[in-house]
Amino acid sequence: MDFPARTPEPPYYAVVFTSRRTPADAEGYAVTAERMLELATLQPGFLGVESVHAADGQGITVSYWDSLESVRRWGRDAEHRIAQAGGRSKWYAAYRLRVCRVERDDQFHPSANT
Amino acid sequence: MDFPARTPEPPYYAVVFTSRRTPADAEGYAVTAERMLELATLQPGFLGVESVHAADGQGITVSYWDSLESVRRWGRDAEHRIAQAGGRSKWYAAYRLRVCRVERDDQFHPSANT
């Protein structure tokens, strides 16, 4: 997976998911998080994803989508819904999910310019 | 600093800065990164910031702003400009900066509901 993600020209959509983990069920969380990343990449309208987690349990995952309809469809996906419930019941102490319209995009990637 | 950041009701703006560090000048980078975070919080229109870095050098910093004008003003800040040049010349192997309009915001924060 490219990091930063290679997204197209704006406009497109970004879902910024900021979370703090509980210490609970590290293995179940890891399996589900990996599955959700994999499943997201298969959705219609998926453009890319960037995910960074620190040792203290703080994480930011930004996924990119072609339209609000694609964002909503992924939010309602049945397997994703089950994972969301797991997030609220055990894995996350807190999270915030922001749906955004990307309006401008600058990049610096010297090795990709050639 | 709250994590996730306590931002107001949308709409507002998010700047998603996704980066991969070089191994160069770890100390200079750390001092400058901390100074930029501190300086950002003092800017007009600043609403909050979330920043996560992993041991492999990948990082995501999302800063939140009340308007595009506040985003632009911070981008043009003189001390920030000097830091940006340091980023391109030595600290970052690649980065991407996306300016976004936050349209929807969901949160889960059980301990804050009381």
Side-chain angles (χ1 to χ4, degrees):
Chain A
M1 198 94 62
D2 291 317
F3 191 98
R6 292 169 183 259
T7 40
E9 288 291 304
Y12 53 93
Y13 286 83
V15 179
V16 180
F17 181 73
T18 308
S19 61
R20 261 191 300 121
R21 280 271 289 120
T22 65
D25 186 28
E27 193 179 343
Y29 167 75
V31 169
T32 303
E34 188 174 349
R35 171 67 180 153
M36 287 305 112
L37 272 183
E38 179 194 346
L39 201 56
T41 65
L42 301 174
Q43 302 305 306
F46 173 85
L47 301 176
V49 64
E50 296 157 346
S51 191
V52 176
H53 293 81
D56 64 2
Q58 296 188 349
I60 301 176
T61 296
V62 189
S63 59
Y64 300 103
W65 303 88
D66 67 348
S67 69
L68 268 183
E69 181 47 34
S70 296
V71 169
R72 290 192 192 109
R73 192 189 300 115
W74 170 231
R76 292 189 307 248
D77 173 90
E79 192 174 343
H80 190 196
R81 282 274 175 101
I82 294 170
Q84 291 164 22
R88 285 186 295 268
S89 69
K90 54 189 169 182
W91 297 319
Y92 295 123
Y95 68 72
R96 203 142 176 166
L97 186 146
R98 295 175 175 99
V99 179
C100 316
R101 185 175 190 271
V102 180
E103 305 196 335
R104 195 160 63 78
D105 182 341
D106 294 334
Q107 60 181 304
F108 171 71
H109 195 174
S111 57
N113 287 340
T114 55
Chain B
M1 198 94 61
D2 291 317
F3 191 97
R6 291 168 184 260
T7 40
E9 287 292 304
Y12 54 92
Y13 286 84
V15 178
V16 180
F17 181 72
T18 308
S19 61
R20 264 192 297 122
R21 281 271 289 121
T22 65
D25 186 27
E27 193 179 343
Y29 167 75
V31 169
T32 303
E34 187 175 351
R35 170 67 181 153
M36 288 305 111
L37 273 182
E38 180 194 346
L39 201 57
T41 66
L42 302 173
Q43 301 306 306
F46 173 85
L47 300 176
V49 65
E50 297 156 346
S51 190
V52 176
H53 293 80
D56 64 2
Q58 296 187 349
I60 301 177
T61 297
V62 190
S63 59
Y64 300 102
W65 303 88
D66 67 349
S67 67
L68 269 183
E69 182 46 36
S70 296
V71 170
R72 289 191 192 110
R73 192 191 299 113
W74 170 232
R76 292 188 307 247
D77 173 90
E79 193 174 341
H80 190 195
R81 281 275 175 101
I82 294 170
Q84 292 164 21
R88 286 186 295 268
S89 69
K90 53 190 168 183
W91 296 319
Y92 295 123
Y95 69 71
R96 203 141 176 167
L97 185 146
R98 296 174 175 99
V99 178
C100 314
R101 184 175 190 272
V102 181
E103 305 197 335
R104 194 160 62 80
D105 182 341
D106 294 334
Q107 61 181 304
F108 172 71
H109 195 174
S111 57
N113 288 342
T114 55

